[in-house]
Amino acid sequence: KNSPSFARKISMESARQLLLDCGQDSIVAQLDEGGEWPESLLSQVAKLDANYPGGLKGYVTNARALLEASSSGANPMEGVTAVEVPEGVNLEYGSPEYDRLESLGVAEAGAACFVLVAGGLGERLGFGGIKLSLPVDLCAGESYLGTYCESILALQERCGGSGQGDSRSPIPLVIMTSDDTHSRTVALLEAENNFGLAAGEGGVFFR
């Protein structure tokens, strides 16, 4: 198993040979026409080869096998005789069992952390902004992020940390952004004063 490596270097000749070994002759031919290969491409080849199990050769081999299976109509579930699906628990709101489990959850919530993956834009939804700013309430215009933060604040109040101005530790929210969404996510939070959540360590921060 390969461990992630983002600093590995690879020479043009090594990258060229690796792509040839993967059957990417046409790509190599086009790159050779331009002379020296871009450093960004060499870095990408090295990163992909280091991070995918089996390297680029393993990736190409797996991709070809999957495409061949798909084109031939192979059943990916063939050979699977049984799939165990957990039954879970069907709770009735307001029942004694519901209240008991809710109390257990509230007791543990203070040690929890919410992580929100927010690296994408809303183009596929016909929306020009970040997905976090999508309105979930057409009447009040409340954004998705605002509703999300309100839920955290309500939980904080239940478990003993009510946010800004409260000496008790708030429930942290980690927002994972991308280059496309980071600045607009920060701007949204600043414009709405973090929707009432504490800022910085223990409150809202980014990764």
Side-chain angles (χ1 to χ4, degrees), residues 102-151:
E102 184 180 47
S103 296
L104 292 175
V106 169
E108 297 293 333
C113 172
F114 285 83
V115 178
L116 187 57
V117 180
L121 300 174
E123 299 105 323
R124 288 182 296 176
L125 303 174
F127 186 68
I130 56 175
K131 291 179 181 177
L132 292 185
S133 63
L134 275 165
V136 296
D137 182 344
L138 295 180
C139 293
E142 181 68 87
S143 67
Y144 177 84
L145 182 56
T147 302
Y148 198 91
C149 291
E150 283 180 1
S151 298

Side-chain angles (χ1 to χ4, degrees), residues 11-207:
S11 66
M12 173 179 164
E13 188 55 40
S14 296
R16 185 177 187 280
Q17 187 59 52
L18 178 57
L19 292 179
L20 288 174
D21 291 343
C22 292
Q24 306 302 309
D25 303 57
S26 59
I27 295 178
V28 170
Q30 292 181 38
L31 289 168
D32 283 345
E33 290 178 0
E36 288 293 319
W37 290 16
E39 284 294 329
S40 58
L41 174 66
L42 296 177
S43 176
Q44 187 178 42
V45 170
K47 180 179 177 180
L48 292 173
D49 189 50
N51 294 338
Y52 189 85
L56 274 180
K57 292 181 183 178
Y59 174 82
V60 172
T61 299
N62 290 339
R64 286 173 175 164
L66 291 171
L67 286 172
E68 183 177 353
S70 177
S71 62
S72 64
N75 181 8
M77 299 300 291
E78 185 176 357
V80 178
T81 56
V83 177
E84 294 185 7
V85 179
E87 293 183 5
V89 178
N90 187 17
L91 296 174
E92 181 181 349
Y93 180 76
S95 66
E97 181 65 2
Y98 183 100
D99 293 339
R100 184 184 73 83
L101 292 176
E102 184 180 47
S103 296
L104 292 175
V106 169
E108 297 293 333
C113 172
F114 285 83
V115 178
L116 187 57
V117 180
L121 300 174
E123 299 105 323
R124 288 182 296 176
L125 303 174
F127 186 68
I130 56 175
K131 291 179 181 177
L132 292 185
S133 63
L134 275 165
V136 296
D137 182 344
L138 295 180
C139 293
E142 181 68 87
S143 67
Y144 177 84
L145 182 56
T147 302
Y148 198 91
C149 291
E150 283 180 1
S151 298
I152 296 176
L153 286 169
L155 187 57
Q156 282 182 174
E157 188 173 355
R158 287 289 305 276
C159 68
S162 57
Q164 293 180 343
D166 196 315
S167 60
R168 292 164 290 188
S169 297
I171 298 175
L173 169 63
V174 180
I175 303 178
M176 299 180 67
T177 59
S178 66
D179 292 340
D180 291 328
T181 64
H182 185 78
S183 60
R184 281 185 273 187
T185 302
V186 172
L188 175 61
L189 286 165
E190 289 179 346
E192 299 294 341
N193 195 27
N194 284 341
F195 295 100
L197 293 179
E201 185 177 357
V204 181
F205 55 102
F206 298 91
R207 181 169 179 80

